Amino acid sequence: MIVIGGSTTFIFGTILSWRALSIIGLIPTAVLLLGLFFIPESPRWLAKRGLTKDFVAALQILRGKDADISQEAKEIQDYITSLEKLAKPKVLDLFQKRYLRSLTIGVGLMVCQQFGGINGVGFYASSIFDLAGFPSATGTILFAILQIVITGVGAALIDKAGRKPLLLVSGSGLVTGSIFTAVAFYLK
């Protein structure tokens, strides 16, 4: 949804001024803000705080007036009780030797993603397309659509192919694309 929202903004940005785009961007924000006044509090959060009456009422609102919530309410209460029996984790627990590999991979992937440059390409897409001699509006729209398609394909394949093969393919494509773009602009 983040990619769809960002890509939609790219597409509308080729048609509208930045001021109009900013005002239009306020609409979903205002709808979400107003909607917050009408949604009930999370039943799990209420149960965790010990507000049993409010917890049951919120769960009944979410499931409907005629729904039997007794089994689900019991499961939530049992889950909260079992969570309270567990030791409280601390941030420093992440740095234990048994978590070091997972933590390194997770943080490393986030760092590599940020240094991958797609945000920079997105911010300067119109300038890049202009410099390449391609119409910037058309290029920006194609860039936005391609982002949606690739994200959809990745989301559909992640459970079938696994994370590692997709990371290898996308990382190889990123390096190849970046080298190709750099060489093309360097030789121009």
Side-chain angles (χ1 to χ4, degrees):
M1 294 314 291
I2 290 171
V3 171
I4 290 172
S7 296
T8 303
T9 305
F10 273 108
I11 292 168
F12 283 135
T14 61
I15 303 165
L16 303 170
S17 71
W18 68 268
R19 286 184 176 98
L21 195 59
S22 296
I23 291 170
I24 290 172
L26 289 174
I27 295 170
T29 307
V31 169
L32 284 173
L33 182 64
L34 291 173
L36 286 173
F37 292 105
F38 299 104
I39 62 171
E41 190 61 68
S42 165
R44 288 182 185 269
W45 183 83
L46 292 168
K48 190 174 178 183
R49 298 287 178 251
L51 303 168
T52 307
K53 191 184 289 186
D54 295 333
F55 151 65
V56 171
L59 189 60
Q60 192 70 60
I61 289 170
L62 289 171
R63 300 297 177 244
K65 281 191 293 187
D66 300 328
D68 180 20
I69 61 165
S70 58
Q71 181 63 30
E72 186 176 4
K74 183 182 179 319
E75 288 174 7
I76 291 173
Q77 288 287 17
D78 291 345
Y79 179 73
I80 298 296
T81 304
S82 65
L83 274 182
E84 289 172 352
K85 291 179 184 175
L86 296 174
K88 301 292 181 219
K90 298 176 184 75
V91 173
L92 292 178
D93 291 344
L94 280 174
F95 299 99
Q96 293 177 9
K97 188 173 182 169
R98 63 181 169 173
Y99 300 127
L100 189 61
R101 183 168 185 245
S102 299
L103 183 67
T104 303
I105 290 170
V107 171
L109 284 173
M110 289 189 305
V111 168
C112 288
Q113 181 183 14
Q114 291 303 312
F115 286 136
I118 193 62
N119 289 337
V121 171
F123 295 145
Y124 294 103
S126 61
S127 301
I128 291 170
F129 287 119
D130 279 339
L131 288 171
F134 196 78
S136 63
T138 306
T140 303
I141 291 170
L142 289 174
F143 173 76
I145 292 170
L146 186 63
Q147 265 192 310
I148 293 171
V149 170
I150 294 299
T151 302
V153 168
L157 289 179
I158 197 160
D159 287 333
K160 293 180 180 125
R163 286 176 172 78
K164 188 173 181 179
L166 286 179
L167 283 169
L168 289 170
V169 169
S170 65
S172 301
L174 177 67
V175 169
T176 304
S178 295
I179 290 172
F180 178 74
T181 305
V183 169
F185 279 104
Y186 181 75
L187 294 176
K188 185 174 178 181

